[in-house]
Amino acid sequence: MDRGFIPVRAKLLEVAAFLDRVERHEVAGDFRCVALREAAALLGDGQPERARRILEKLSDPTTKPDRVSSGKAALGAWRPPAK
Amino acid sequence: MRYIEPHGHMVSRTTDDYQAMVMAGCAAVCEPAFWAGFDRGSVAGFRDYFRQLTEYEPARSAKFLLPHYCWLCLNPKEAEDLALARDVLALIPEFLGGPNVLGIGEIGLNRNTRNELAVLEDHIELAVKYDQLILVHTPHLEDKLKGTNLILDRLKAHRGVKPERVIIDHVEEHTIRRVLDAGFWAGITLYPDSKASPPRAVDMLEVCGHERIWLNSACDWGVSDPLAVPKTALEMRARGHSAEFVDQVLYQNPVRFLSQCPKFLVG
Ligand SMILES: [Zn+2]
């Protein structure tokens, strides 16, 4: 606890400030911000294995290989296909 | 302290990094073939790269008294050009006899496409045919979970693949168990922004065991730290793990896996 608390407190504040910032700049509706808020909600649910569950929440849930490559890099959160 | 750096892209690093790694206790470095940051345009470009990994880089490393080994393949990022991929795969066998070549890697998936999967299957076939160890790269970020599942399916479906001769790298909390449960080795990569941090890596060792796991920095031309492995030793000791525990994870484990290739002469 003595070693870990201060660095993690700083990271939590970075998350909070990031969410404030994207709202201020009116991009809070970006799918990555939505995913971040949903993932952050898992922190307080009292259940174990938060790291695993947050990673799963941010993952592509589909199972079939993609037909073609987008040619772009991964973005950190899964974007559902446009309807 | 002694450790192995089982995954470092040293062609992208400076001699200062070599010196720092050796001073921190590095006893050998292993360099998988990977993407240069841009797509190579020809088979000749790959031939030059394979010569760099098998001739030039081990000589550069030797100036710092550090044994250098490598893995050969075409990176999944370059698998969309199927014709070029086939030509490059045909080139690999002529390099497999090199004294520092450990096996086929890092193969795997990047964006989980059909073409990437086809080239992955060709690489697996090549490794089995030439009885090579396999080092697998799992995709980044949101693609990792799906990609790991696709890779595990392909590896398990091939009767010639021996799981104890395959390491699946860049595992995180959501993929490590399925890799270990299937009998494969797992690699944890320590990156400043993505993949795992030293505290998370030690968490995974504490939760999932440490028998078939290695740690690496995967240092390359991007944001990465060639001393991430010894820094994680500090995290282990600060939590009360013994020097023997550190030595087993950072030195004995990689030596045990890599010694399955008779050319690996460390330890
Ligand atoms: Zn790599």
Side-chain angles (χ1 to χ4, degrees), chain A residues 3 49 51-52 55-56 58-60 62-70 72-78, chain B residues 77 80 111-114 116-117 140-143 145-146 150 154 172-174 177-178 200 235 238-239:
Chain A
R3 289 182 58 252
E49 301 204 29
R52 173 182 65 76
L55 284 165
E56 286 171 358
L58 295 170
S59 293
D60 177 354
T62 67
T63 55
K64 292 211 164 46
D66 294 351
R67 212 159 41 82
V68 287
S69 173
S70 66
K72 298 203 174 78
L75 293 169
W78 183 65
Chain B
K77 256 181 126 72
E80 289 302 327
R111 296 308 311 269
N112 302 329
T113 69
R114 286 185 190 174
E116 291 174 11
L117 260 181
H140 305 281
L141 303 169
E142 74 270 23
D143 296 323
L145 181 59
K146 173 179 173 178
L150 289 168
R154 292 310 183 282
E172 291 181 65
E173 288 87 342
H174 58 330
R177 281 200 189 89
R178 62 195 77 207
R200 282 174 53 208
E235 172 72 20
R239 287 197 201 181

Side-chain angles (χ1 to χ4, degrees), chain B:
Chain B
M1 195 190 101
R2 56 181 185 171
Y3 76 97
I4 306 289
E5 174 53 81
H7 190 146
H9 299 292
M10 301 309 293
V11 304
S12 309
R13 307 302 310 193
T14 65
T15 48
D16 284 353
D17 293 333
Y18 269 125
Q19 190 176 38
M21 288 163 69
V22 171
M23 287 169 66
C26 189
V29 62
C30 308
E31 176 153 8
F34 88 135
W35 191 55
F38 62 95
D39 289 351
R40 296 180 182 87
S42 66
V43 182
F46 280 92
R47 179 185 291 278
D48 287 346
Y49 180 45
F50 294 158
R51 283 194 53 214
Q52 186 179 19
L53 291 177
T54 55
E55 296 173 28
Y56 180 75
E57 203 57 36
R60 199 165 78 104
S61 183
K63 289 183 185 153
F64 298 87
L65 310 178
L66 185 62
H68 176 284
Y69 296 92
C70 73
W71 303 75
L72 301 178
C73 75
L74 169 130
N75 188 277
K77 256 181 126 72
E78 288 166 303
E80 289 302 327
D81 183 344
L82 289 177
L84 178 62
R86 287 208 180 97
D87 289 346
V88 173
L89 261 83
L91 174 70
I92 290 172
E94 75 179 76
F95 287 91
L96 288 179
N100 77 329
V101 180
L102 297 172
I104 300 295
E106 55 184 308
I107 60 173
L109 298 174
N110 179 51
R111 296 308 311 269
N112 302 329
T113 69
R114 286 185 190 174
N115 284 348
E116 291 174 11
L117 260 181
V119 174
L120 169 66
E121 287 170 350
D122 289 346
H123 274 111
I124 295 171
E125 206 58 58
L126 182 72
V128 169
K129 180 176 174 190
Y130 288 91
D131 196 24
Q132 298 290 307
L133 296 176
I134 296 176
L135 169 55
V136 180
H137 161 98
T138 51
H140 305 281
L141 303 169
E142 74 270 23
D143 296 323
K144 186 180 296 293
L145 181 59
K146 173 179 173 178
T148 301
N149 288 335
L150 289 168
I151 290 164
L152 287 174
D153 286 348
R154 292 310 183 282
L155 287 167
K156 288 193 277 192
H158 197 301
R159 282 191 307 173
V161 171
K162 300 185 183 103
E164 69 275 14
R165 288 173 60 81
V166 179
I167 181 136
I168 300 192
D169 218 330
H170 317 318
V171 299
E172 291 181 65
E173 288 87 342
H174 58 330
T175 56
I176 184 168
R177 281 200 189 89
R178 62 195 77 207
V179 166
L180 292 173
D181 289 349
F184 298 99
W185 280 69
I188 300 175
T189 297
L190 306 153
Y191 264 8
D193 294 332
S194 60
K195 304 192 167 75
S197 63
R200 282 174 53 208
V202 181
D203 290 340
M204 283 187 261
L205 294 171
E206 289 173 352
V207 172
C208 300
H210 57 275
E211 286 301 311
R212 275 180 285 119
I213 297 177
W214 79 23
L215 266 49
N216 62 71
S217 77
C219 57
D220 59 15
W221 39 257
V223 177
S224 50
D225 176 4
L227 295 182
V229 173
K231 285 175 185 170
T232 306
L234 202 56
E235 172 72 20
M236 293 178 194
R237 294 307 307 272
R239 287 197 201 181
H241 292 293
S242 67
E244 168 58 24
F245 177 88
V246 174
D247 191 67
Q248 190 188 338
V249 176
L250 302 190
Y251 182 84
Q252 295 174 44
N253 278 6
V255 165
R256 191 152 49 92
F257 178 82
L258 295 165
S259 295
Q260 295 181 88
C261 172
K263 287 185 261 182
F264 187 79
L265 297 173
V266 177

